[in-house]
Amino acid sequence: MARSQNPKKHVSIKLRYLVLFLILLALLLAAVGTVAWMRYIRSLQTVTMVQVTSLSLEGPNPDIPNTAIINIGDKDVSEPGSESYVFGVRTYIGKKFQVQLAHTTNTPFRYTIYEATKAASNQTPDVTEQEIGFLKGKVLSGAYKNEASSGSNMALQGDDHYYTSTYDTYTANVQQNAAPLYWQSESVTPENEVTYFILDVSWEAGDNNKETDMVYLTVGTAIDTSEGGAS
């Protein structure tokens, strides 16, 4: 006579298989969900990738790397004169930037920055550097941030943000011409990968006193003051 099968045991075995199937199904869904999530995150990163503005100064000819952009050198200031120097700002098109100039005032140089474009073959260039001609455009808009008075060519001293940023609380024995002036342009929106400028250094007749001046030309990401930023 055949042994009868225990129905409870049969149900228990089915239940175990069902639980095992559900566990495997859950693991499979989790794996598929993880892959889908990873793909979504990767596509989201591609869509929302932030492009950090990259800025650099370079000379008039990008094909000649590692060349001095500007070399003012020794100037004979016994007679009035001027010298012009070309420099470029390389950045992403449409990313606003500001040109900044800082200099001491031992020698009465005047600094003016012009927008510039490359001269065509049928145009007479205003400045030629490294065999490339450039035309002067309009003066680059900007202002000194710490001039004692307009046109004085002297920096504010003492309780002034720019002065204390340079010398902290040290005020003794700082010669007046050693306090640097800080000039900053308004925002520039580039239309090309490299935006060119001409730095014009001019002077009136004076004494060649052999004083040394420090001049720094920098470029920075523009701050949109219309959105609450500070220049």
Side-chain angles (χ1 to χ4, degrees):
M1 183 176 179
R3 184 180 297 177
S4 62
Q5 194 173 25
N6 190 335
K8 291 184 178 180
K9 184 176 181 182
H10 182 69
V11 171
S12 177
I13 293 173
K14 284 186 175 182
L15 184 61
R16 288 178 185 177
Y17 280 119
L18 178 60
V19 171
L20 180 61
F21 172 76
L22 291 174
I23 291 173
L24 291 174
L25 180 62
L27 290 174
L28 179 62
L29 289 174
V32 172
T34 301
V35 172
W37 179 82
M38 289 176 65
R39 287 180 179 174
Y40 170 74
I41 291 298
R42 287 175 180 172
S43 63
L44 187 65
Q45 287 176 340
T46 303
V47 171
T48 62
M49 182 177 62
V50 177
Q51 187 180 53
V52 179
T53 301
S54 176
L55 291 165
S56 62
L57 287 167
E58 60 181 48
N61 190 346
D63 296 329
I64 305 179
N66 302 320
T67 56
I69 297 174
I70 294 173
N71 180 17
I72 294 178
D74 295 329
K75 299 300 175 189
D76 179 8
V77 297
S78 62
E79 297 291 336
S82 66
E83 291 283 351
S84 296
Y85 307 89
V86 178
F87 67 93
V89 177
R90 180 179 293 275
T91 187
Y92 295 114
I93 297 174
K95 297 295 182 179
K96 295 181 179 180
F97 64 86
Q98 289 171 285
V99 178
Q100 301 161 132
L101 182 72
H103 63 88
T104 53
T105 58
N106 288 302
T107 307
F109 289 140
R110 296 287 179 175
Y111 302 88
T112 307
I113 299 178
Y114 296 87
E115 296 178 359
T117 54
K118 289 185 178 181
S121 57
N122 61 343
Q123 294 175 310
T124 302
D126 295 310
V127 182
T128 300
E129 281 202 24
Q130 297 177 6
E131 300 181 355
I132 300 177
F134 292 86
L135 301 174
K136 280 185 180 179
K138 64 181 181 180
V139 174
L140 181 62
S141 298
Y144 281 105
K145 298 295 185 179
N146 63 328
E147 196 171 23
S149 60
S150 180
S152 67
N153 201 39
M154 289 293 177
L156 287 168
Q157 298 191 30
D159 187 19
D160 174 70
H161 165 71
Y162 295 96
Y163 185 85
T164 54
S165 295
T166 305
Y167 294 103
D168 198 14
T169 58
Y170 181 79
T171 57
N173 300 320
V174 177
Q175 205 272 340
Q176 185 178 13
N177 297 103
L181 278 169
Y182 294 98
W183 182 91
Q184 188 178 68
S185 76
E186 295 180 2
S187 296
V188 178
T189 303
E191 298 179 356
N192 301 294
E193 186 176 353
V194 180
T195 305
Y196 288 103
F197 300 93
I198 294 173
L199 171 63
D200 188 77
V201 184
S202 60
W203 59 89
E204 300 295 332
D207 296 328
N208 288 314
N209 55 21
K210 301 302 181 183
E211 291 287 349
T212 299
D213 271 314
M214 300 179 69
V215 182
Y216 291 91
L217 183 66
T218 59
V219 62
T221 302
I223 299 173
D224 188 353
T225 55
S226 66
E227 298 181 357
S231 59

